[in-house]
């Protein structure tokens, strides 16, 4: 596995940092999620695949010292908190990176560690709003809309942070040194939108939101409802693919306006919508099968895993609890990801084994437990 042997400490946070930890775990890293007490919190991390959990109370006197000692033997620390939180605990980069100069200290925030908003609370929608990207999302005459919490939390947050960690690990192979990564979701999302910035002069975005080529303005880059209440996705941008779309819809392009006639797009969209409503999704799939019309069914979470294409590739996996989820991406030829099929860890399930691995003696562990700095949560004992 590509990240075999990498030791990662993921401080338990909300969605973005857990995805970063999940990616590292899927590709072989030994990810320890540092949770608060099993008593104090419900495990809200639904991205715990392949991780182990250590319950450590950082608010108790020996809590920070325990984490500090763990970091001395770790390769990566993922900090999911507001700026300044770990500094208050004496666990800022100046301390931990001095203890362990090889440590990669990855800080995943919403607004970054500096700037007017830095210490503000926020969530995905706030970050994509401040990044400028949200202003581009949404249909004509409707409010901008956030595509769930995929863009900032995950694409511009968790994935971008994981990429930063991998690049810092690569750099460390020559320098031998770690460093601090300021991964924040505003700039991560903005960075993802570089194409929107760089294509400003191509005439792709000259019109108001929802009237452009790729933002639901164009009739040939849109979704359409079918007779059975499902949807088809159409992405026939190039003329040669557009021609195949028109043929599949059994329309005559000679009687239609030019493909790029902006002013005719609303009427063309109405015409396409009427045609798509005449057949079921399965019938349209049959018509567009083996064509380059760029027309595909809009699959749902109920049928995506069993769709012939995804099934053939094994794009989704089912764990021991029969839960379906996407397999890790990308696919490696020689060192593929090895996602765990076990259930996610309970908070504190692995406290003892992790501390032993990181060099704590049984006596030290017993002392920390008696002081309630750490907690054990052995699910077998709970049965
Ligand atoms: C599922 C929902 C979330 C969906 C994703 C959402 C759309 C997002 O965008 S998540 C991205 C959020 N932003 C970031 O991650 C950026 C960086 N982080 C932050 O900015 C902040 O952490 C924050 C704004 C996200 C939260 O601020 P908060 O003040 O809570 O925390 P911090 O300032 O960071 O400080 C952390 C403090 O905690 C202490 N700490 C940390 N670890 C430990 C430890 N091991 N021991 C002791 N103490 C520890 C640390 O010292 C800090 O203390 P101080 O403040 O004193 O310094 C979910 C969104 C809301 C959820 C629901 C909600 O929480 C209510 C219920 C709660 C219940 O427990 C479970 C059910 C809920 C309904 C819950 C369900 C879901 O989880 C949510 C809906």
């Amino acid at each position: 596995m590509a990240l075999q042997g990498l030791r990662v400490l993921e401080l338990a946070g909300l969605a973005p940092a857990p995805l970063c930890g999940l990616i590292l775990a899927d590709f072989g890293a030994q990810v320890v999620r540092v949770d608060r007490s099993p008593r104090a919190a419900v495990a809200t991390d639904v991205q715990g695949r392949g991780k182990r959990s250590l319950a450590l109370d950082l608010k108790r006197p020996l809590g920070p010292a325990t984490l500090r000692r763990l970091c001395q033997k770790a390769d990566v620390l993922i900090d999911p908190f507001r700026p300044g939180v770990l500094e208050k605990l004496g666990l800022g980069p100046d301390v931990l990176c001095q203890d362990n100069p090889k440590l990669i200290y990855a800080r995943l925030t919403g607004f970054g560690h500096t700037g007017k908003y830095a210490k503000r609370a926020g969530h995905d929608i706030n970050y994509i709003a401040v990044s400028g990207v949200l202003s581009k999302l949404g249909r004509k005459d409707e409010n901008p809309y956030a595509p769930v919490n995929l863009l900032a939390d995950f694409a511009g947050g968790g994935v971008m942070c994981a990429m930063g960690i991998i690049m810092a690990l690569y750099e460390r192979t020559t320098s031998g040194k770690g460093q601090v990564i300021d991964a924040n979701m505003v700039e991560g999302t903005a960075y993802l939108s570089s194409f929107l910035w760089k294509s400003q002069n191509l005439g792709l975005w000259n019109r108001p939101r929802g009237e452009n080529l790729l933002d639901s303005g164009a009739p040939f880059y849109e979704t359409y409802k079918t007779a059975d209440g499902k949807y088809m996705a159409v992405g026939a941008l190039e003329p040669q693919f557009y021609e195949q779309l028109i043929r599949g819809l059994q329309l005559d392009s000679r009687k239609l306006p030019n493909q790029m006639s902006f002013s005719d797009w609303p009427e063309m969209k109405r015409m396409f919508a009427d045609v798509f409503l005449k057949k079921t999704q399965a019938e349209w799939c049959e018509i567009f099968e083996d064509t380059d019309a760029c027309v595909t069914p809009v699959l749902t979470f109920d049928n995506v895993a069993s769709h012939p294409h995804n099934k053939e590739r094994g794009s989704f996996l089912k764990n021991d609890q029969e839960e379906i989820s996407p397999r890790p991406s990308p696919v490696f030829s020689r060192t593929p990801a090895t996602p765990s099929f076990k259930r996610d860890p309970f908070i504190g399930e692995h406290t003892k084994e992790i501390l032993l691995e990181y060099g704590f003696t049984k006596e030290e562990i017993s002392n920390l437990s008696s002081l309630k700095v750490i907690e054990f949560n052995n699910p077998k004992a709970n049965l």
Side-chain angles (χ1 to χ4, degrees):
M1 298 177 287
L3 301 179
Q4 179 85 30
L6 192 72
R7 280 183 159 181
V8 178
L9 296 173
E10 172 199 321
L11 300 177
L14 286 177
L19 175 68
C20 180
L22 172 80
I23 293 168
L24 301 179
D26 277 346
F27 285 89
Q30 294 167 291
V31 178
V32 170
R33 190 184 66 207
V34 180
D35 285 298
R36 305 173 203 200
S37 154
R39 287 176 288 103
V42 172
T44 54
D45 174 14
V46 293
Q47 301 172 97
R49 184 169 70 203
K51 301 175 188 176
R52 292 182 295 167
S53 170
L54 160 73
L56 170 65
D57 188 339
L58 294 172
K59 293 293 175 62
R60 295 216 180 234
L62 287 177
T66 303
L67 181 62
R68 183 171 173 180
R69 191 163 149 193
L70 289 166
C71 287
Q72 288 164 10
K73 294 199 171 174
D75 294 293
V76 180
L77 173 70
I78 301 173
D79 164 15
F81 307 131
R82 258 191 266 234
V85 163
L86 289 181
E87 282 82 347
K88 271 194 293 184
L89 295 165
L91 296 169
D94 54 328
V95 173
L96 300 187
C97 297
Q98 183 165 0
D99 287 351
N100 175 2
K102 291 171 71 77
L103 182 68
I104 287 158
Y105 197 122
R107 315 195 83 170
L108 180 46
T109 59
F111 300 105
H113 270 260
T114 57
K116 172 182 166 68
Y117 285 173
K119 290 195 184 269
R120 271 199 192 182
H123 286 101
D124 181 284
I125 194 167
N126 306 112
Y127 310 138
I128 61 176
V130 176
S131 77
V133 171
L134 181 57
S135 72
K136 296 287 187 184
L137 306 178
R139 291 182 180 281
K140 179 181 178 183
D141 298 333
E142 293 181 8
N143 292 355
Y145 94 107
V148 191
N149 60 325
L150 295 171
L151 267 184
D153 278 0
F154 302 127
V159 173
M160 204 63 86
C161 188
M163 184 180 72
I165 289 168
I166 304 303
M167 288 195 277
L169 282 168
Y170 178 75
E171 191 281 335
R172 190 176 78 170
T173 60
T174 48
S175 69
K177 294 178 184 160
Q179 59 185 305
V180 181
I181 298 173
D182 175 356
N184 68 83
M185 287 176 262
V186 169
E187 292 168 357
T189 305
Y191 192 37
L192 282 175
S193 74
S194 295
F195 168 76
L196 305 191
W197 287 91
K198 299 291 185 183
S199 58
Q200 291 291 316
N201 302 328
L202 296 182
L204 294 182
W205 310 105
N206 301 353
R207 306 163 62 76
R209 175 168 51 81
E211 295 182 38
N212 298 283
L213 186 72
L214 302 177
D215 68 355
S216 77
F220 48 86
Y221 200 83
E222 180 55 286
T223 56
Y224 290 97
K225 199 168 194 173
T226 58
D228 51 348
K230 297 177 180 177
Y231 293 91
M232 297 300 284
V234 174
L237 291 170
E238 296 81 348
Q240 66 273 28
F241 304 150
Y242 175 77
E243 192 47 44
Q244 295 188 50
L245 166 67
I246 299 305
R247 204 176 308 137
L249 296 176
Q250 295 183 325
L251 294 170
D252 180 348
S253 51
R254 290 167 301 178
K255 295 178 184 162
L256 290 174
N258 179 288
Q259 178 189 1
M260 299 307 283
S261 169
F262 294 131
S263 58
D264 291 305
W265 280 359
E267 180 50 32
M268 289 165 74
K269 194 182 277 194
R270 277 190 288 275
M271 193 189 302
F272 290 9
D274 289 345
V275 174
F276 270 107
L277 270 176
K278 293 186 168 68
K279 294 182 187 329
T280 66
Q281 187 186 70
E283 288 168 335
W284 285 119
C285 286
E286 182 66 30
I287 288 166
F288 288 109
E289 191 72 23
D290 302 328
T291 73
D292 272 346
C294 308
V295 178
T296 51
V298 176
L299 301 175
T300 68
F301 276 30
D302 293 332
N303 61 20
V304 65
S306 57
H307 183 276
H309 173 75
N310 294 329
K311 193 169 182 184
E312 186 184 332
R313 284 189 52 83
S315 304
F316 293 81
L317 50 85
K318 189 181 282 187
N319 70 5
D320 298 345
Q321 284 69 43
E322 298 284 306
E323 293 161 346
I324 294 176
S325 59
R327 73 166 169 174
S329 179
V331 178
F332 282 43
S333 61
R334 185 171 52 79
T335 59
T338 51
S340 167
F341 286 81
K342 296 195 182 91
R343 61 165 171 73
D344 289 359
F346 295 116
I347 290 180
E349 183 174 352
H350 308 95
T351 298
K352 187 167 188 177
E353 73 179 58
I354 291 163
L355 291 173
L356 287 170
E357 268 174 37
Y358 275 71
F360 288 74
T361 64
K362 287 183 179 169
E363 293 69 28
E364 288 173 316
I365 294 169
S366 172
N367 179 46
L368 289 171
S369 173
S370 63
L371 296 170
K372 295 211 175 308
V373 178
I374 60 173
E375 290 195 58
F376 310 124
N377 181 10
N378 179 348
K380 294 186 184 66
N382 299 341
L383 291 178

